[in-house]
Amino acid sequence: MPHYLFLLDDLEEMSEQNLLQRFSGTFLRDVNLGVLLIDTEFRLVDISDMACRVLGFHKESILFKRIEDIFASIPPEHRLVERTLLDGRIVRNHAVSWMNNQERYELLLDSNLLRDNEDQIVGAYIIFKDVTNLRSLEAQVQRSDRLAMIGQIAAGTAHEIRNPLTSIKGFLQVLKKTFESKDMAKEQGYIDVMLDEINRVNELVNEFLLLGKPKNVLLQKIDVSTVIKGILPIINNEAILHKVHMNYEESSGLPPVIADQELLKQVFLNICKNGIEALTDGGTLTIVEKLDPDGRFVNIEVHDTGPGIPVYVIDKIFDPFFTTKEEGTGLGLSVCQRIIHDMGGHIRVSSKGYGTTFTVSIPCI
Ligand SMILES: Nc1ncnc2c1ncn2[C@@H]1O[C@H](COP(=O)(O)OP(=O)(O)OP(=O)(O)O)[C@@H](O)[C@H]1O
Ligand SMILES: [Mg+2]
């Protein structure tokens, strides 16, 4: 009888081990979980498929290598794993950003020691989840809050600026006529400069007003290609001025979208203007139309072969008043984003070191 009992215990232990093994195997293959196992020599013993993908490593080339060597090309403060891990520094919900192939990942990381039955340290593990989507959602919510507040202030101020501007402009035009009748050419020139400047202020004020969204949005069924073709001459003109080559790939048979035509023009003009401004040494600006794979959006991609947007800038480009240009107001993209959001669409940007693509997605029927 005792003999049988022993066998039963043994079997239980085996099935428990089996279960644990399966559990760890599943863990390592889980598509959503990054796992790294490290031994006491600070060498990588195992790594999950997802971790390899996100970190951009080939499993075979890094297995059993020292962590310092694996992360050698990365500055110490950005490495995912630190040696202090083996000193028992437990990490919980630590947020880190990771760049791989110009793709930015936001990771949430836990790490801890592994001990044997005698409480001796035998290694350590790191587990992380990719929370990029969550983080960008959070940032977007914060941004639209800020935008709404700035918009209200800006729109209020803009109204107050526009009224006096209108009367100044009116009186200047009267003055110009007087100078004309008295053949005062120099003075007429001054007036022209003043009128030009007033127009510039007016344009700025109009952007402010849009930010506050008092304008009635007229959503209707429209054809995106027609809208783009309508503004193509303006973009072409701007491109020629900047010695930029321009490409437009029209796509036939796209479904109509629900949008405000005038506002949509403004969005494409702004984005194309940015693209052309980025092409200081010439280059190509390409506009491509596509239907989103799930058929719910028409996507307009505006691609430029410019220098791209640095990682430390890309998070801020939709913020109102963020600009890297001497003459810029930094309102272009924030206005674009507001307009497209109001239509139920979204704007994405991807910049892979060289060149930038803005994708405007507009809901279609
Ligand atoms: N295609 C691009 N290539 C490189 N950087 C870009 C591109 N588009 C936008 N940016 C960056 O984003 C910033 C914000 O753009 P945004 O259009 O909002 O303002 P701006 O162009 O600086 O000023 P404004 O549009 O008011 O003249 C720019 O200053 C620039 O740094
Ligand atoms: Mg701009």
Side-chain angles (χ1 to χ4, degrees):
M1 200 62 181
H3 183 70
Y4 286 122
L5 256 180
F6 173 72
L7 210 70
L8 215 61
D9 266 1
D10 231 22
L11 269 173
E12 260 176 17
E13 197 171 305
M14 263 171 64
S15 79
E16 193 179 308
Q17 262 186 7
N18 203 347
L19 201 67
L20 275 173
Q21 250 168 20
R22 271 178 195 282
F23 177 61
S24 60
T26 311
F27 234 60
L28 284 167
R29 280 192 314 274
D30 190 316
V31 285
N32 283 319
L33 214 55
V35 185
L36 284 90
L37 276 179
I38 287 154
D39 69 8
T40 47
E41 303 293 310
F42 209 43
R43 279 179 313 214
L44 183 74
V45 178
D46 210 340
I47 181 165
S48 68
D49 301 342
M50 181 275 213
C52 284
R53 180 171 53 78
V54 169
L55 304 181
F57 292 141
H58 286 290
K59 190 168 177 171
E60 302 74 42
S61 60
I62 53 167
L63 228 44
F64 304 112
K65 284 208 172 133
R66 280 154 39 88
I67 295 290
E68 280 105 337
D69 298 334
I70 297 172
F71 289 94
S73 61
I74 292 143
E77 66 273 20
H78 292 300
R79 290 180 189 172
L80 228 45
V81 193
E82 287 177 46
R83 220 176 219 289
T84 47
L85 177 63
L86 288 177
D87 304 333
R89 199 171 75 95
I90 299 173
V91 173
R92 290 271 175 269
N93 292 329
H94 177 51
V96 265
S97 298
W98 181 268
M99 284 291 297
N100 170 25
N101 269 338
Q102 299 302 318
E103 201 86 48
R104 182 171 164 164
Y105 293 94
E106 302 292 342
L107 309 175
L108 206 57
L109 187 141
D110 281 4
S111 64
N112 200 352
L113 290 173
L114 290 167
R115 295 175 191 269
D116 64 8
N117 291 342
E118 273 80 52
D119 215 24
Q120 293 297 310
I121 297 171
V122 288
Y125 67 82
I126 292 121
I127 296 180
F128 62 83
K129 281 205 90 127
D130 176 6
V131 291
T132 315
N133 289 341
L134 276 179
R135 292 285 294 254
S136 70
L137 199 68
E138 186 187 307
Q140 223 173 57
V141 170
Q142 277 179 4
R143 197 179 297 133
S144 30
D145 273 1
R146 224 170 337 143
L147 195 61
M149 196 186 72
I150 294 178
Q152 276 169 3
I153 300 171
T157 323
H159 262 295
E160 294 311 305
I161 297 175
R162 208 150 66 158
N163 294 341
L165 273 186
T166 315
S167 50
I168 295 176
K169 198 171 160 183
F171 285 123
L172 280 176
Q173 274 156 349
V174 175
L175 270 184
K176 195 179 165 190
K177 286 231 167 66
T178 316
F179 288 142
E180 254 169 27
S181 64
K182 300 200 164 153
D183 268 343
M184 297 167 78
K186 205 167 70 186
E187 283 74 7
Q188 276 182 55
Y190 294 155
I191 300 279
D192 282 338
V193 174
M194 284 159 92
L195 285 172
D196 275 353
E197 296 294 304
I198 287 187
N199 282 342
R200 256 188 38 190
V201 179
N202 251 332
E203 266 169 38
L204 194 69
V205 167
N206 283 341
E207 281 194 355
F208 269 28
L209 282 172
L210 262 178
L211 213 57
K213 206 183 69 170
K215 184 178 186 296
N216 286 333
V217 181
L218 181 67
L219 292 182
Q220 51 183 355
K221 222 163 100 173
I222 51 174
D223 175 37
V224 179
S225 309
T226 316
V227 175
I228 295 182
K229 274 186 275 186
I231 54 168
L232 221 49
I234 308 176
I235 303 171
N236 249 327
N237 206 25
E238 192 80 10
I240 293 167
L241 269 176
H242 287 80
K243 299 193 174 59
V244 165
H245 184 71
M246 159 88 218
N247 253 338
Y248 167 51
E249 293 173 22
E250 190 187 344
S251 168
S252 58
L254 283 178
V257 296
I258 307 286
D260 180 311
Q261 176 154 333
E262 291 311 308
L263 293 178
L264 213 51
K265 278 185 192 166
Q266 193 182 346
V267 170
F268 296 136
L269 280 176
N270 262 326
I271 294 178
C272 291
K273 186 171 147 257
N274 279 346
I276 294 172
E277 281 166 356
L279 294 167
T280 42
D281 299 322
T284 309
L285 183 86
T286 314
I287 306 177
V288 186
E289 303 168 351
K290 278 183 195 156
L291 186 63
D292 200 67
D294 68 8
R296 291 194 304 128
F297 293 95
V298 168
N299 291 341
I300 313 298
E301 292 174 6
V302 179
H303 174 75
D304 67 70
T305 55
I309 307 177
V311 202
Y312 54 88
V313 165
I314 209 158
D315 278 350
K316 306 194 189 94
I317 59 168
F318 291 102
D319 287 353
F321 305 111
F322 175 82
T323 180
T324 55
K325 299 170 193 169
E326 226 158 82
E327 298 265 299
T329 62
L331 285 175
L333 285 177
S334 48
V335 168
C336 290
Q337 196 174 50
R338 159 131 250 167
I339 292 173
I340 294 298
H341 276 180
D342 286 350
M343 295 174 188
H346 47 259
I347 305 182
R348 292 217 174 83
V349 54
S350 89
S351 189
K352 312 218 168 209
Y354 163 79
T356 305
T357 307
F358 279 88
T359 308
V360 182
S361 306
I362 312 155
C364 53
I365 299 172

